[in-house]
């Protein structure tokens, strides 16, 4: 099934505007995606018709809100093929989801001498929580090396064999790198981790809305992702956890809504997912996230992945023709996600982004929350074009023209 970006663009009101007198070209999807009308309507409908607090009410609006919220949980469970909706915990996003695991699981299981394994190309959100958890427990943090001067070789799989010892209690890795575009072999990582008894955590922020994702097929223990990068609202995300693991974990945040019984001195917890959702949850955004799942599944994530791949190949082809460009991540022709990071020797990424903005193009420039990786690559920053289902080859042509203009300006 192929995808018609022109037809899809009609569903996204924000795309139909001019920026600096030029039609907007939105190529900052790695930071956040745009929202289709159906998702915006779901938010408005909820606040106009159903808004109420969930779980604790017996009136009509509260029951509708509760049905909507729990329906969204079941919808997300189906989106990732979780065995049970109780394995889906709503959070604020990827960052909070990873922190919940690092604090709850880390506190319960990590001991001095243990190893937490991750990779050299994690987003800060999948690095700093493990630094904190390892430090608190007296455990050690180790890294799967990244191969190649431009990170083009991907993770060092031979080193992974050596690193995955029985001391490794947890292996946390990204599915898709937000800076390199590398797609990690997540099922293989999970299989190898399981062989030494390590728990796995997948940062799926950049992948979940872009390609099929089946937690049972992948065989992972925890998965973190954000609604806003998959056509859903900001402020809502998911922590998937295998039920057997969630049941043994204490909540990292406590308060109303998570308890069976409370005395002046103590409290007992409800089972997951409620145990991990203290306080009034983000009902409206959870419901709209369910709508985003409907939208993406109607288009088809296989088709979105094929479209991303086609755009990435087209962009690699166009951009590699520019003089002095250094493209980071997998080489042209190799599989990569729908994003391309690049750097010019004599033009700073912030100038690239500023010039592109003059041409109506939204790019991102900076360290992309990957400071250690930038240092390893010997770069201060890169510019990044990241694509999604509504982007077209014509937009990449406009990007290439804009970059030519920038290079001319700085050469002149
Ligand atoms: N991990 C990766 C790979 C990301 O790209 C991002 C967002 N840039 C995050 C984690 C953090 O996501 P959020 O800010 O939505 O929590």
């Amino acid at each position: 099934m192929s995808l018609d970006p022109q037809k899809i663009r009609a569903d996204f009101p924000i795309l139909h505007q001019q920026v600096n007198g030029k039609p907007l070209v939105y190529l900052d999807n790695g930071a956040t995606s745009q929202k289709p009308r159906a998702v915006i309507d779901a938010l408005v409908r909820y606040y106009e018709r159903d808004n109420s607090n969930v779980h604790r009410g017996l009136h009509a609006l509260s029951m509708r809100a509760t049905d909507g919220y729990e329906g969204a949980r079941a919808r997300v469970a189906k989106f990732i093929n979780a065995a049970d909706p109780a394995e889906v915990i709503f959070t604020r996003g990827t960052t909070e989801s990873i922190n919940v695991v690092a604090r709850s699981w880390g506190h319960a299981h990590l001991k001095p001498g243990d190893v937490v394994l991750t990779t050299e190309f994690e987003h800060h959100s999948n690095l700093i929580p493990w630094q904190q958890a390892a430090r608190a427990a007296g455990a050690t943090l180790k890294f799967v090396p990244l191969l190649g001067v431009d990170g083009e070789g991907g993770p060092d799989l031979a080193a992974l064999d050596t690193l995955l010892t029985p001391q490794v209690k947890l292996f946390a890795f990204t599915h898709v790198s937000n800076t390199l575009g590398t797609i990690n072999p997540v099922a293989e990582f999970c299989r190898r981790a399981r062989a030494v008894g390590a728990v796995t955590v997948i940062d799926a922020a950049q992948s979940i809305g872009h390609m099929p994702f089946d937690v049972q097929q992948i065989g992972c223990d925890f998965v973190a992702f954000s609604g806003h990068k998959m056509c859903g609202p900001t402020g809502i995300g998911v922590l998937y956890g295998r039920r057997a693991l969630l049941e043994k974990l204490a909540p990292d945040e406590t308060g109303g809504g998570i308890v069976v019984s409370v005395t002046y001195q103590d409290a007992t917890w409800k089972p997951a997912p409620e145990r991990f959702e203290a306080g009034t949850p983000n009902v409206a955004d959870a419901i709209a996230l369910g709508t985003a799942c409907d939208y993406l599944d109607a288009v088809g994530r296989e088709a979105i992945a094929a479209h991303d791949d086609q755009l990435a190949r087209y962009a690699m082809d166009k951009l590699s023709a520019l003089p002095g460009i250094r493209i980071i991540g997998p080489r042209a022709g190799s599989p990569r996600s729908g994003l391309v990071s690049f750097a010019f020797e004599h033009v700073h990424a912030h100038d690239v982004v500023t010039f592109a903005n003059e041409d109506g193009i939204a790019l991102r420039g900076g360290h992309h929350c990957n400071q250690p990786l930038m240092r390893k690559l010997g770069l201060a920053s890169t510019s990044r074009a990241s694509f999604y289902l509504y982007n077209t080859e014509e937009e990449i042509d406009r990007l290439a023209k804009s970059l030519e203009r920038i290079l001319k300006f700085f050469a002149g």
Side-chain angles (χ1 to χ4, degrees), residues 7-31:
K7 219 170 117 209
I8 284 170
R9 292 178 75 80
D11 296 334
F12 289 80
I14 203 168
L15 297 177
H16 308 282
Q17 63 175 293
Q18 306 247 317
V19 168
N20 293 321
K22 320 255 170 47
L24 167 66
V25 173
Y26 186 78
L27 301 181
D28 195 17
N29 295 285

Side-chain angles (χ1 to χ4, degrees), residues 94-95 123 125 174 178 203 205-206 226 228-229:
T94 309
T95 303
H123 187 281
S125 290
T174 196
N178 63 310
D203 173 351
Q206 294 291 341
S226 302
H228 70 94
K229 293 186 203 273

